[in-house]
């Protein structure tokens, strides 16, 4: 039997205010039933699970509108879209704070080393270098548009159009890389392929039961690689 809970009971369970629960209801995230006699809210087990998810998603910084979309559209592609976007926000903030932290450490090092000496120019140099790194990161763009290229990437390799013939020795190079890596590794060695693309190189390691992880900054490339090679462990990231 599905037990019903009052708003106060639910608030006590999660150690939150009743106003917060009302706010989530107002935003359409929660839809508790109402008692026909007094209009009091009645929360069932499903409502409890939904609230638990809402609080979890809020704890990782997802917005109310994003949480609502996740709840209403529970499919893998939608999850990937929202979590990837949030990952990018968090990752960018971590990198921004890392630059600030490193800059402060450099300034502190100079202060400790030089004592009361004039440090204005040195401090400015440190800040300028930090700003340059930040600008490089902020202005970086995927000029190759790998996300849109992902579905046709393997076809591009086979056709190898154009005068340059960029992929003429593609398979030969993959074999060479695999042989060099496997020959110089110990038993039980773990591999990381940075820029895994659609997984063509990693597949050679998988066929020989190697422990390999493929990393790429393109979510669509990772999706294609995972479809082609379900056993391949993939990670979103950059180098």
């Amino acid at each position: 039997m599905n037990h019903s809970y009052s708003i106060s009971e639910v608030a006590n369970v999660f150690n939150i205010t009743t106003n917060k629960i009302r706010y989530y209801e107002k935003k359409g995230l929660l839809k508790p039933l109402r008692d026909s006699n007094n209009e009091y809210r009645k929360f069932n087990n499903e409502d409890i699970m939904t609230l638990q998810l809402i609080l979890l998603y809020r704890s990782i910084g997802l917005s109310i509108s994003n949480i609502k979309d996740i709840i209403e559209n529970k499919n893998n592609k939608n999850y990937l879209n929202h979590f990837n976007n949030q990952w990018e926000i968090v990752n960018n903030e971590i990198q921004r704070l890392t630059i600030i932290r490193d800059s402060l450490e450099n300034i502190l090092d100079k202060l400790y080393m030089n004592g009361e000496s004039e440090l204005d120019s040195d401090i400015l140099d440190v800040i300028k270098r930090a700003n340059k790194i930040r600008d490089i990161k902020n202005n970086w763009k995927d000029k190759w548009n790998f996300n849109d290229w992902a579905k046709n990437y393997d076809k591009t390799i086979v056709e190898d159009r154009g005068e340059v013939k960029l992929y003429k020795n593609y398979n030969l190079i993959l074999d060479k890389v695999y042989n060099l890596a496997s020959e110089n590794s110990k038993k039980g060695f773990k591999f990381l392929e940075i820029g895994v693309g659609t997984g063509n190189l990693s597949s050679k390691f998988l066929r020989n039961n190697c422990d390999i992880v493929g990393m790429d900054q393109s979510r669509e490339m990772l999706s294609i690689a995972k479809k082609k090679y379900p056993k391949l462990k993939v990670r979103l990231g950059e180098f």
Side-chain angles (χ1 to χ4, degrees), residues 33-176:
L33 296 174
R34 295 275 185 162
D35 192 301
S36 58
N37 297 319
N38 51 30
E39 283 298 305
Y40 287 170
R41 296 170 179 81
K42 296 195 301 182
F43 296 84
N44 57 28
N45 292 335
E46 186 178 346
D47 296 323
I48 298 294
M49 293 297 295
T50 300
L51 180 56
Q52 190 171 28
L53 283 175
I54 293 168
L55 295 174
L56 174 63
Y57 293 151
R58 289 295 287 161
S59 72
I60 61 174
L62 286 171
S63 68
I64 294 296
S65 59
N66 286 340
I67 295 173
K68 185 176 182 181
D69 188 52
I70 291 173
I71 291 173
E72 293 177 351
N73 301 283
K74 296 179 179 179
N75 60 75
N76 191 58
K77 187 173 183 180
N78 199 37
Y79 285 132
L80 277 172
N81 182 51
H82 285 293
F83 292 143
N84 177 65
N85 290 340
Q86 190 62 21
W87 176 86
E88 287 184 350
I89 292 171
V90 172
N91 190 53
N92 288 338
E93 182 64 10
I94 288 172
Q95 291 186 355
R96 185 185 72 84
L97 292 173
T98 299
I99 291 171
I100 293 173
R101 182 199 63 192
D102 292 346
S103 298
L104 289 171
E105 287 177 354
N106 287 332
I107 291 170
L108 287 169
D109 287 344
K110 289 181 178 295
L111 285 169
Y112 285 125
M113 288 174 62
N114 298 329
E116 299 296 326
S117 302
E118 182 62 47
L119 290 173
D120 287 350
S121 61
D122 289 338
I123 292 172
L124 285 174
D125 286 341
V126 170
I127 294 172
K128 285 178 181 177
R129 286 198 299 271
N131 288 338
K132 185 177 181 180
I133 294 171
R134 182 199 62 200
D135 290 340
I136 290 171
K137 170 64 182 174
N138 291 341
N139 294 324
W140 185 87
K141 292 182 180 179
D142 180 2
K143 293 179 287 186
W144 299 273
N145 200 6
F146 280 116
N147 278 333
D148 288 343
W149 193 8
K151 290 182 179 179
N152 297 312
Y153 182 76
D154 288 334
K155 184 180 178 182
T156 301
I157 293 169
V158 173
E159 294 179 351
D160 197 15
R161 297 177 180 177
E163 296 180 1
V164 179
K165 296 300 176 185
L166 184 64
Y167 299 102
K168 181 180 179 180
N169 297 309
Y170 181 78
N171 289 315
L172 182 65
I173 292 170
L174 295 191
D175 288 337
K176 185 71 173 178

